[in-house]
Structures are given as structure tokens and as C-alpha cells.
Amino acid sequence: MDKNRYMYFVGALLYVNLTALVILGLLLKFVIPTGARAIGSPPSFLGLSRHGWADLHGTLGILFIVLTVAHLLLNWNWVVQSSKRYFQDKWVKALLVLSAVWVPIIFVGWIVSR
């Protein structure tokens, strides 16, 4: 398979995965019941408990990260060329600063959400 087919496949999977993440997140927030409906029976939605849906949401989130990394690797030449165009000689420094800023923001967001 050539690179364009891989890019299309990864892009399509990213779209489907992100759509599923958003829909599942909205279902978890607004539709799937919380708490016990009856003593001894966990609340469920379409046969899965809230924890089952949350596990699926987490798995889709991990898959999204893997697909995003694959997408970035497949498009790395474009990232470098665009960075060179916008930042001229300082393109490497610009990418490093972006990474140095973005990674701690994600980490802090993860810590706060716990």
C-alpha cells in the first residue's frame, strides 16, 4: 500500500474514532444513568453498565492518541515544510517550544481531571 492509502485509512479511522468519542462522551454525560436503579442491579444502557461504557470511552481515547501519532508521522514532511515557511530559520525552535508548551498543558489537564 502506498503512503496516500495509509493517510486516507488513518484519516478515516480518526474521523470515525473521534465521532464515537464525542457521541459516547455525550451519552455518558447526559443519557447513561448514574447510581443504582435497584438494589443489586447496576444501571445499564444497551446492555452495558456505565463502567463498561466508560471503559470503552477510555479505550477509544487511547486509540485516538495512537492514530493521531500515526497521522502526525505520515504528515511529518508537511509539518516541517509548513514550519519552515512560517518560522524560517527558527522552525526547529518553534516546534520544540510548541511541544514544550503543549505537553505540560495536557499533563496538567490530566492531573486536574483526576
Side-chain angles (χ1 to χ4, degrees):
M1 217 180 336
D2 63 339
K3 184 178 176 180
N4 284 335
R5 287 182 192 254
Y6 282 123
M7 289 171 63
Y8 179 81
F9 184 68
V10 169
L13 286 176
L14 269 169
Y15 172 74
V16 169
N17 187 277
L18 181 61
T19 303
L21 273 171
V22 169
I23 290 170
L24 192 49
L26 291 172
L27 287 173
L28 282 167
K29 179 67 177 175
F30 298 112
V31 177
I32 299 172
T34 60
R37 289 186 314 191
I39 296 174
S41 71
S44 64
F45 179 74
L46 297 177
L48 280 179
S49 70
R50 182 172 182 81
H51 294 290
W53 288 109
D55 288 344
L56 178 60
H57 188 69
T59 303
L60 289 174
I62 292 168
L63 179 61
F64 183 78
I65 292 169
V66 169
L67 288 171
T68 301
V69 169
H71 179 74
L72 188 62
L73 291 174
L74 286 169
N75 291 288
W76 187 249
N77 288 334
W78 178 85
V79 171
V80 169
Q81 294 304 317
S82 296
S83 298
K84 285 180 180 178
R85 185 175 331 124
Y86 295 124
F87 299 108
Q88 285 84 31
D89 295 338
K90 299 181 182 186
W91 68 274
V92 173
K93 187 176 183 179
L95 286 178
L96 289 174
V97 167
L98 179 65
S99 297
V101 169
W102 188 241
V103 170
I105 288 173
I106 292 173
F107 183 71
V108 168
W110 176 68
I111 294 294
V112 169
S113 70
R114 297 237 159 247

